[in-house]
Amino acid sequence: MSLFPAYGGGQPAAVVGAKETKNPAKEAETTSEDWKNNESYFQKDIDEDYKANPTPISDSSTDSEEDSTAEAPEILAKTKDSVQVKPLEFDANDEFYVDKKSNSSYRTLSTLTKPTRPRYKTRMTRLRDQDHTHRDRSKLSAKSSRYTRRNHQPCDPNPTVEEVARLQEQLIQSKVLVQREPQTVDHWLELHRLLGLNLDKANRLAVAEHQLHTLETALEHHPSNEQILRLYTDVANATYQASEVAARFTKMLERNPFEYTLWTALIMVTQGNMARCNVPAVLRIYAYCMRRMHVGHTDEHSRELATVDTDRIMLKLFHNCVLFLRQTGNSNKMFALLRLSLELNFPGLTVDCFEACAANERPLIEYEEMVLRSGMPMLEIWTRVERLRQAYCYLPYPQSAHLTKDALAGGLDTERCIFSDDVVPYAHALKSPENRLHLLLLVVQLTKMPLVRSACLAAKLNPRIDEFGESEAIEMLFAALADRHSYAVAPSQNAGFDLALLDLAKEICVPPSFMPHFVGHELYAETISGLLLKCSEAFRMEERKRIVFLLLWLRFQRLLVVLHKLMGKLTKTHMKETRLRIRNQLSLPANRGISRFYTELAMCEFEGLEKGDDEDRVFNLFKKIFATGSQMGCDLTCPDLMHAYLACAEMLIRCGRSDEALHLLSCLCLGRHADTLTPEAAALGIEESLQRGLELLKEEVTALDSLPDEMPLEEYFLANKLLILLRARCLLNRSVVDKTCDGLLLHQLGAEAAKNSERRRFLREQVMEIQILRLQLPHSPPGGVDRHPDEKENGRYLRPKNVQLMELVVRGLGEFPRNLTMLQCWAGFNTMLWHRQRAVFIRTQAGIIALLHLVIAARCRFAMANDKHMPLADHVQTAVRNRLLSMFETFLPTNRNRSAVEEEQYRLLRRNSLYWRLYLKCLSDTRTSFERSKECLLTAMDECPWDKALLMDGAQYVPQDLPYLQDVMTEKELRIYALPEELDILRES
């Protein structure tokens, strides 16, 4: 009997293989007629292309042997030609299929002997690694990571009996302590931690219910404690379904209706849940909570609660509601809500800048026709038309237009007809007039106007960024361009950062926007300008608040000039129109005598200077400001006039005119006008200027004791005399101002004093910015005294300037994590080790702002490397991609080695669509499969199901799922401006 009977009729088996048989006669002897009928001959691992079009094989017994042998090579040849992607695993010389594939079962081994086991560990898992099994950490993984500081040691999964007994004893003691001292918060937090260890090995549901019961008991003693409320919401969301969690939060809000944390948790149960999220359902919750805040304290129990000022809670909820409308694409309803809020709080004010005009939207039709006739794929046509309409059709129609039925019958878009009844549940008049400035600043900020550069101002306007994220608008980072830190620093130090920021903004910006690369940016810029002028008109009876919005309007005009200049689109016509707009505002009777406005005009002229332009035009404006102030007879004590002197001196230093800058700085410190002090006298009286300036500084510091601790909002935007004098001394003599600033930061503006005083905290932040400016100056100022690098101070060598700057920025970010000046300075250290630079950004609890600066820092580094090594452009691009991917995946829950700091940072990032959009963009290249991008998109949609920009990016990077994404937009009732069916008809017509 043959060893392999399938291939031989009782004859010895021939050796088969890919090689040709040497003896054809012996091969013919082993061939039998029965082998054709054996089922094992037919190949079963045929490619899909061959399965789709199989060649019929005749197995009839009536066929002759010659016909069958002639058919077999022909079948194999057709099969080989039909497969293009992956060839079959045999060649034409084989007469039957040879299985050359390895057995996949041998690829996975349960165990390996220790010498052959590789010594490596998986430091980070990815979204696609579903079957990854976690191994025990080795001794190396237990060490402190060089990227982040670990604040806690991981718990041992298998504690010993002694450790379990010790923890149980601590649990018993904690239960006794919470009964004896229920007013101590730490006892409740420790009890919650010990209950989470599950020492009794109970059911996880029982443990969670025990924790919730303990936290509810703790809330009876501490009704508004932030830590306990945060723990309660986290445990409830992880334990029960969304509907039951919402019922629990609603029941708790009935007892305490003035708790912002519970309101946000209730909203996110619907807004942040993929199954429950849709726009009307979320808006119903906002309407309920806004009305509850408007009604206020209705019974004796609510009057006894600690929270009395319901306006502050209403402002936070209003900010979140408008942000939700903007992210869902409901721009028409958003601007209608903003208009109604302004008119309710300022009777008699008509906000007509939020009304659509048909004449402004005529270019939209021309652009749409160009796109429809372009012949592009339907995906690209829909994406471009959708963004075009979103850039032009963001304003609602005026109410006079949609009152007529003829207009609706004539094809008017009903979704752009927003009645007051549609948005009145979310807009209520504030109870205190003192909060109206806060409301208007929020309205301006929600239109993507960048106005927050200080961490203290950001904390005052938006104190909570953990649940909803601070903002998804990349334009918020332009605040550093609208309000320059200093003009004395050389522009080359910030050129790389500005260009990288601009490139990033161009990639992820969402219309409508004032970015110059967008079609229709002029219309949106005009809308923001009109809003700022309307806000200044609303405070026509309060001069300081009116000046604030005019300053913001002037900054916005300057920002547009800077953006056009960076993009290479600044023309003489644009500069002339900007200059004319500003002069028309300054010619009004109410604005003529305010020197700060003319300083802003000179700063705008300075920003618009190109190479070869005459800079005297700018300094002639300053001479007119100085002459006007001198003719008025007032001393040089007005903060606005002092600010003009300081700005002019910094611009002179930038232009290399040091002697003139020295003259102005001496006048500023002496308190004398420029025309009363000659340049020669100023050069000889530097010591006198420094001494007199120090006396003025002491007077201002002493005056702090008489000022209230709470700082009004308008003072964040107005000039401060103390800060002006400090900056002037910084430019005169850096070594002296170093001691002065250190003394202020240790005593009058110390950390302990800043904790209880909002004013001192803001001044402390600004003083740190002045110290950063001192260390950024490239050389000693004119007339200043600078030490030799090897000179000693108190017997110790001075540290290098860059080391001092790094230490100062790290300390500053620890106290003020949302300060744009410090973040930009840290991102500019291109020669620092990357893991050190990254670690500071990770430890900075600033949310999306820190992540964006980290992305810009990575781009700046490799942009410099690409300029120096042009042949390595592909390698540079790969390095940037890998570095950014590692950064994004550091915060993901799939990273089992992430620290507590990274976990807390993910809490701030997970609800922000910018994080997911940047991650998705980084994944979507030729090196990543569609499956991985799709998994990232699904994870992002699960975290931010309401964000339209995220779904639009998903349609771009995962185009095969466009119909499903459009269905999701329709299901969630997001605003869609261009229906695919409509565009299909328009394209064919």
Side-chain angles (χ1 to χ4, degrees), residues 5 15 56 144 232 277 303 346 350 450 487 582 602 616 626 645 776 816 846 853 868 915 951 965:
V15 178
S144 176
Y232 185 86
C277 177
R303 291 191 182 96
F346 296 92
T350 303
Y487 284 101
I582 296 177
D616 290 335
F626 303 155
Y645 272 78
Q776 283 181 332
F816 310 101
H853 280 80
K868 297 178 181 178
Y915 169 73
L951 298 178
L965 295 175

Side-chain angles (χ1 to χ4, degrees), residues 921-977:
K921 178 178 176 56
C922 188
L923 277 177
S924 301
D925 57 6
T926 57
R927 301 175 183 85
T928 308
S929 62
F930 281 113
E931 288 76 13
R932 189 176 180 187
S933 298
K934 183 177 179 180
E935 290 179 6
C936 176
L937 176 62
L938 293 177
T939 306
M941 290 172 58
D942 191 51
E943 295 289 353
C944 305
W946 68 90
D947 195 273
K948 180 184 176 183
L950 178 62
L951 298 178
M952 293 291 293
D953 285 357
Q956 179 181 356
Y957 300 128
V958 192
Q960 65 271 20
D961 289 342
L962 174 61
Y964 304 106
L965 295 175
Q966 290 174 342
D967 292 343
V968 171
M969 293 184 190
T970 305
E971 178 189 353
K972 305 304 178 186
E973 299 190 37
L974 307 181
R975 180 70 163 96
I976 300 179
Y977 291 86

Side-chain angles (χ1 to χ4, degrees), residues 395-687:
L395 288 177
Y397 288 128
Q399 294 186 5
S400 59
H402 56 68
L403 288 178
T404 59
K405 296 182 179 180
D406 297 337
L408 295 175
L412 200 63
D413 189 357
T414 56
E415 293 193 33
R416 296 187 65 186
C417 302
I418 308 297
F419 294 91
S420 298
D421 295 340
D422 299 331
V423 293
V424 74
Y426 326 111
H428 297 281
L430 298 174
K431 300 176 183 179
S432 174
E434 300 296 328
N435 296 322
R436 295 188 302 177
L437 178 60
H438 192 167
L439 172 66
L440 262 64
L441 289 175
L442 284 181
V443 168
V444 171
Q445 188 182 25
L446 287 166
T447 58
K448 301 183 181 180
M449 163 63 189
L451 55 90
V452 179
R453 187 174 61 86
S454 166
C456 293
L457 179 60
K460 192 173 182 65
L461 290 178
N462 304 312
R464 295 289 300 275
I465 62 172
D466 51 349
E467 290 294 338
F468 293 88
E470 188 165 8
S471 176
E472 89 296 350
I474 187 64
E475 293 90 344
M476 294 295 101
L477 296 185
F478 292 153
L481 298 177
D483 183 19
R484 294 284 192 184
H485 170 48
S486 175
Y487 284 101
V489 181
S492 59
Q493 297 184 13
N494 301 327
F497 180 88
D498 294 343
L499 293 177
L501 170 61
L502 199 62
D503 292 340
L504 181 64
K506 290 166 64 177
E507 294 174 2
I508 61 177
C509 190
V510 178
S513 177
F514 52 82
M515 292 283 292
H517 72 285
F518 267 123
V519 177
H521 67 92
E522 302 93 345
L523 180 60
Y524 194 71
E526 183 180 353
T527 302
I528 297 180
S529 299
L531 171 63
L532 292 171
L533 293 178
K534 283 294 180 181
C535 292
S536 66
E537 181 183 347
F539 285 111
R540 56 183 176 272
M541 303 304 296
E542 301 178 53
E543 184 64 15
R544 299 183 69 188
K545 297 179 180 179
R546 186 187 73 87
I547 290 176
V548 167
F549 288 101
L550 280 176
L551 285 177
L552 292 177
W553 182 81
L554 291 168
R555 287 183 186 177
F556 183 65
Q557 304 303 318
R558 186 168 74 248
L559 174 63
L560 294 179
V561 171
V562 173
L563 292 178
H564 279 80
K565 184 178 179 180
L566 289 174
M567 291 186 177
K569 298 183 178 181
L570 183 61
T571 60
K572 294 183 178 180
T573 303
H574 182 273
M575 195 65 200
K576 183 178 180 181
E577 294 175 354
T578 303
R579 189 183 300 114
L580 182 61
R581 283 195 300 268
I582 296 177
R583 290 186 180 274
N584 289 336
Q585 284 294 325
L586 298 186
S587 63
L588 297 178
N591 302 330
R592 289 179 181 175
I594 302 177
S595 60
R596 180 65 184 274
F597 294 162
Y598 294 92
T599 305
E600 295 290 331
L601 173 61
M603 294 165 69
C604 184
E605 293 280 359
F606 187 79
E607 292 284 2
L609 288 178
E610 298 284 353
K611 290 184 178 180
D613 290 348
D614 185 14
E615 59 192 26
D616 290 335
R617 181 178 58 194
V618 177
F619 298 116
N620 289 335
L621 284 174
F622 280 110
K623 290 180 180 179
K624 293 180 180 179
I625 297 173
F626 303 155
T628 303
S630 178
Q631 291 175 3
M632 293 177 63
C634 58
D635 296 332
L636 189 55
T637 56
C638 176
D640 288 344
L641 192 57
M642 296 173 66
H643 178 267
Y645 272 78
L646 180 62
C648 184
E650 290 183 345
M651 294 177 187
L652 288 171
I653 293 175
R654 170 81 70 85
C655 297
R657 301 163 66 169
S658 303
D659 295 336
E660 300 178 42
L662 173 63
H663 174 63
L664 293 180
L665 293 173
S666 299
C667 293
L668 187 59
C669 291
L670 292 173
R672 299 170 60 181
H673 291 285
D675 55 357
T676 62
L677 187 66
T678 62
E680 294 78 7
L684 295 176
I686 294 179
E687 295 297 334

Side-chain angles (χ1 to χ4, degrees), residues 16 49 74 321 340 354 382 392 417 522 588 621 628 894 909:
V16 294
D49 295 336
E74 183 180 359
C321 180
L340 182 60
F354 284 164
W382 177 80
Y392 275 95
C417 302
E522 302 93 345
L588 297 178
L621 284 174
T628 303
T894 52
L909 295 173

